[in-house]
PDB file of all heavy atoms in Angstrom:
ATOM      1  N   ASP A  16      57.948 131.079 106.395  1.00 70.00           N
ATOM      2  CA  ASP A  16      57.285 131.799 107.484  1.00 70.00           C
ATOM      3  C   ASP A  16      58.251 132.714 108.234  1.00 70.00           C
ATOM      4  O   ASP A  16      57.844 133.719 108.807  1.00 70.00           O
ATOM      5  CB  ASP A  16      56.672 130.815 108.490  1.00 70.00           C
ATOM      6  CG  ASP A  16      55.499 130.039 107.914  1.00 70.00           C
ATOM      7  OD1 ASP A  16      54.975 130.452 106.857  1.00 70.00           O
ATOM      8  OD2 ASP A  16      55.119 129.016 108.512  1.00 70.00           O
ATOM      9  N   ILE A  17      59.521 132.368 108.223  1.00 72.00           N
ATOM     10  CA  ILE A  17      60.529 133.125 108.960  1.00 72.00           C
ATOM     11  C   ILE A  17      61.022 134.326 108.165  1.00 72.00           C
ATOM     12  O   ILE A  17      61.563 135.264 108.718  1.00 72.00           O
ATOM     13  CB  ILE A  17      61.711 132.202 109.334  1.00 72.00           C
ATOM     14  CG1 ILE A  17      61.231 131.154 110.319  1.00 72.00           C
ATOM     15  CG2 ILE A  17      62.875 132.966 109.911  1.00 72.00           C
ATOM     16  CD1 ILE A  17      62.203 130.053 110.580  1.00 72.00           C
ATOM     17  N   GLY A  18      60.837 134.323 106.867  1.00 72.00           N
ATOM     18  CA  GLY A  18      61.291 135.457 106.067  1.00 72.00           C
ATOM     19  C   GLY A  18      62.333 135.102 105.028  1.00 72.00           C
ATOM     20  O   GLY A  18      62.869 135.984 104.367  1.00 72.00           O
ATOM     21  N   ILE A  19      62.660 133.830 104.907  1.00 78.00           N
ATOM     22  CA  ILE A  19      63.583 133.403 103.861  1.00 78.00           C
ATOM     23  C   ILE A  19      62.773 133.297 102.584  1.00 78.00           C
ATOM     24  O   ILE A  19      61.796 132.564 102.523  1.00 78.00           O
ATOM     25  CB  ILE A  19      64.262 132.073 104.229  1.00 78.00           C
ATOM     26  CG1 ILE A  19      65.071 132.270 105.506  1.00 78.00           C
ATOM     27  CG2 ILE A  19      65.124 131.578 103.084  1.00 78.00           C
ATOM     28  CD1 ILE A  19      65.705 131.032 106.059  1.00 78.00           C
ATOM     29  N   ASP A  20      63.175 134.053 101.576  1.00 78.00           N
ATOM     30  CA  ASP A  20      62.327 134.176 100.396  1.00 78.00           C
ATOM     31  C   ASP A  20      62.275 132.911  99.549  1.00 78.00           C
ATOM     32  O   ASP A  20      63.167 132.069  99.585  1.00 78.00           O
ATOM     33  CB  ASP A  20      62.689 135.404  99.563  1.00 78.00           C
ATOM     34  CG  ASP A  20      64.052 135.335  98.912  1.00 78.00           C
ATOM     35  OD1 ASP A  20      64.593 134.244  98.728  1.00 78.00           O
ATOM     36  OD2 ASP A  20      64.574 136.408  98.561  1.00 78.00           O
ATOM     37  N   ASP A  21      61.192 132.799  98.798  1.00 80.00           N
ATOM     38  CA  ASP A  21      60.928 131.610  97.988  1.00 80.00           C
ATOM     39  C   ASP A  21      62.011 131.354  96.956  1.00 80.00           C
ATOM     40  O   ASP A  21      62.325 130.203  96.656  1.00 80.00           O
ATOM     41  CB  ASP A  21      59.572 131.732  97.286  1.00 80.00           C
ATOM     42  CG  ASP A  21      58.408 131.646  98.263  1.00 80.00           C
ATOM     43  OD1 ASP A  21      58.600 131.139  99.385  1.00 80.00           O
ATOM     44  OD2 ASP A  21      57.308 132.095  97.894  1.00 80.00           O
ATOM     45  N   SER A  22      62.604 132.405  96.391  1.00 85.00           N
ATOM     46  CA  SER A  22      63.629 132.199  95.367  1.00 85.00           C
ATOM     47  C   SER A  22      64.862 131.532  95.963  1.00 85.00           C
ATOM     48  O   SER A  22      65.480 130.674  95.325  1.00 85.00           O
ATOM     49  CB  SER A  22      63.999 133.515  94.675  1.00 85.00           C
ATOM     50  OG  SER A  22      64.574 134.417  95.594  1.00 85.00           O
ATOM     51  N   PHE A  23      65.224 131.882  97.201  1.00 82.00           N
ATOM     52  CA  PHE A  23      66.353 131.230  97.856  1.00 82.00           C
ATOM     53  C   PHE A  23      66.031 129.765  98.137  1.00 82.00           C
ATOM     54  O   PHE A  23      66.849 128.881  97.899  1.00 82.00           O
ATOM     55  CB  PHE A  23      66.720 131.950  99.160  1.00 82.00           C
ATOM     56  CG  PHE A  23      67.840 131.285  99.909  1.00 82.00           C
ATOM     57  CD1 PHE A  23      69.152 131.439  99.502  1.00 82.00           C
ATOM     58  CD2 PHE A  23      67.576 130.488 101.009  1.00 82.00           C
ATOM     59  CE1 PHE A  23      70.190 130.809 100.186  1.00 82.00           C
ATOM     60  CE2 PHE A  23      68.604 129.865 101.703  1.00 82.00           C
ATOM     61  CZ  PHE A  23      69.911 130.025 101.295  1.00 82.00           C
ATOM     62  N   ILE A  24      64.845 129.510  98.636  1.00 81.00           N
ATOM     63  CA  ILE A  24      64.429 128.137  98.925  1.00 81.00           C
ATOM     64  C   ILE A  24      64.450 127.305  97.644  1.00 81.00           C
ATOM     65  O   ILE A  24      64.938 126.170  97.625  1.00 81.00           O
ATOM     66  CB  ILE A  24      63.038 128.117  99.586  1.00 81.00           C
ATOM     67  CG1 ILE A  24      63.113 128.791 100.970  1.00 81.00           C
ATOM     68  CG2 ILE A  24      62.499 126.698  99.699  1.00 81.00           C
ATOM     69  CD1 ILE A  24      61.772 129.074 101.598  1.00 81.00           C
ATOM     70  N   LYS A  25      63.965 127.873  96.544  1.00 84.00           N
ATOM     71  CA  LYS A  25      63.961 127.172  95.257  1.00 84.00           C
ATOM     72  C   LYS A  25      65.383 126.912  94.786  1.00 84.00           C
ATOM     73  O   LYS A  25      65.699 125.818  94.308  1.00 84.00           O
ATOM     74  CB  LYS A  25      63.194 127.981  94.218  1.00 84.00           C
ATOM     75  CG  LYS A  25      63.103 127.300  92.886  1.00 84.00           C
ATOM     76  CD  LYS A  25      62.311 128.110  91.888  1.00 84.00           C
ATOM     77  CE  LYS A  25      62.265 127.362  90.562  1.00 84.00           C
ATOM     78  NZ  LYS A  25      61.747 128.170  89.487  1.00 84.00           N
ATOM     79  N   GLU A  26      66.258 127.908  94.905  1.00 86.00           N
ATOM     80  CA  GLU A  26      67.652 127.752  94.475  1.00 86.00           C
ATOM     81  C   GLU A  26      68.331 126.609  95.232  1.00 86.00           C
ATOM     82  O   GLU A  26      69.032 125.786  94.642  1.00 86.00           O
ATOM     83  CB  GLU A  26      68.409 129.059  94.696  1.00 86.00           C
ATOM     84  CG  GLU A  26      69.834 129.040  94.213  1.00 86.00           C
ATOM     85  CD  GLU A  26      70.549 130.366  94.410  1.00 86.00           C
ATOM     86  OE1 GLU A  26      69.965 131.315  94.967  1.00 86.00           O
ATOM     87  OE2 GLU A  26      71.723 130.442  94.003  1.00 86.00           O
ATOM     88  N   VAL A  27      68.117 126.547  96.540  1.00 84.00           N
ATOM     89  CA  VAL A  27      68.717 125.479  97.338  1.00 84.00           C
ATOM     90  C   VAL A  27      68.124 124.131  96.962  1.00 84.00           C
ATOM     91  O   VAL A  27      68.844 123.148  96.777  1.00 84.00           O
ATOM     92  CB  VAL A  27      68.545 125.751  98.850  1.00 84.00           C
ATOM     93  CG1 VAL A  27      68.967 124.538  99.672  1.00 84.00           C
ATOM     94  CG2 VAL A  27      69.338 126.980  99.258  1.00 84.00           C
ATOM     95  N   SER A  28      66.799 124.068  96.811  1.00 84.00           N
ATOM     96  CA  SER A  28      66.171 122.781  96.492  1.00 84.00           C
ATOM     97  C   SER A  28      66.612 122.264  95.131  1.00 84.00           C
ATOM     98  O   SER A  28      66.735 121.050  94.934  1.00 84.00           O
ATOM     99  CB  SER A  28      64.647 122.883  96.564  1.00 84.00           C
ATOM    100  OG  SER A  28      64.156 123.715  95.542  1.00 84.00           O
ATOM    101  N   GLU A  29      66.908 123.155  94.187  1.00 87.00           N
ATOM    102  CA  GLU A  29      67.383 122.727  92.873  1.00 87.00           C
ATOM    103  C   GLU A  29      68.850 122.305  92.910  1.00 87.00           C
ATOM    104  O   GLU A  29      69.282 121.502  92.092  1.00 87.00           O
ATOM    105  CB  GLU A  29      67.194 123.853  91.850  1.00 87.00           C
ATOM    106  CG  GLU A  29      65.731 124.081  91.509  1.00 87.00           C
ATOM    107  CD  GLU A  29      65.502 125.281  90.599  1.00 87.00           C
ATOM    108  OE1 GLU A  29      66.459 126.043  90.333  1.00 87.00           O
ATOM    109  OE2 GLU A  29      64.341 125.454  90.172  1.00 87.00           O
ATOM    110  N   ALA A  30      69.616 122.831  93.857  1.00 87.00           N
ATOM    111  CA  ALA A  30      71.041 122.517  93.949  1.00 87.00           C
ATOM    112  C   ALA A  30      71.306 121.185  94.648  1.00 87.00           C
ATOM    113  O   ALA A  30      72.314 120.536  94.390  1.00 87.00           O
ATOM    114  CB  ALA A  30      71.778 123.632  94.675  1.00 87.00           C
ATOM    115  N   VAL A  31      70.413 120.768  95.525  1.00 87.00           N
ATOM    116  CA  VAL A  31      70.613 119.543  96.302  1.00 87.00           C
ATOM    117  C   VAL A  31      69.923 118.384  95.588  1.00 87.00           C
ATOM    118  O   VAL A  31      68.707 118.346  95.490  1.00 87.00           O
ATOM    119  CB  VAL A  31      70.082 119.704  97.748  1.00 87.00           C
ATOM    120  CG1 VAL A  31      70.288 118.413  98.526  1.00 87.00           C
ATOM    121  CG2 VAL A  31      70.760 120.873  98.434  1.00 87.00           C
ATOM    122  N   GLU A  32      70.738 117.460  95.099  1.00 87.00           N
ATOM    123  CA  GLU A  32      70.234 116.293  94.385  1.00 87.00           C
ATOM    124  C   GLU A  32      69.907 115.169  95.379  1.00 87.00           C
ATOM    125  O   GLU A  32      70.414 115.163  96.502  1.00 87.00           O
ATOM    126  CB  GLU A  32      71.298 115.801  93.394  1.00 87.00           C
ATOM    127  CG  GLU A  32      71.670 116.806  92.329  1.00 87.00           C
ATOM    128  CD  GLU A  32      70.565 117.039  91.320  1.00 87.00           C
ATOM    129  OE1 GLU A  32      69.797 116.107  91.043  1.00 87.00           O
ATOM    130  OE2 GLU A  32      70.466 118.175  90.812  1.00 87.00           O
ATOM    131  N   PRO A  33      69.072 114.202  94.947  1.00 89.00           N
ATOM    132  CA  PRO A  33      68.806 113.049  95.819  1.00 89.00           C
ATOM    133  C   PRO A  33      70.119 112.377  96.244  1.00 89.00           C
ATOM    134  O   PRO A  33      71.036 112.225  95.441  1.00 89.00           O
ATOM    135  CB  PRO A  33      67.974 112.122  94.930  1.00 89.00           C
ATOM    136  CG  PRO A  33      67.311 113.045  93.948  1.00 89.00           C
ATOM    137  CD  PRO A  33      68.321 114.132  93.692  1.00 89.00           C
ATOM    138  N   GLY A  34      70.213 112.050  97.523  1.00 89.00           N
ATOM    139  CA  GLY A  34      71.419 111.431  98.065  1.00 89.00           C
ATOM    140  C   GLY A  34      72.452 112.443  98.538  1.00 89.00           C
ATOM    141  O   GLY A  34      73.479 112.063  99.083  1.00 89.00           O
TER     142      GLY A  34
END
Side-chain angles (χ1 to χ4, degrees):
D16 292 345
I17 294 170
I19 298 175
D20 67 22
D21 291 341
S22 64
F23 178 77
I24 295 169
K25 182 179 180 191
E26 183 178 2
V27 171
S28 67
E29 289 174 352
V31 179
E32 298 290 329

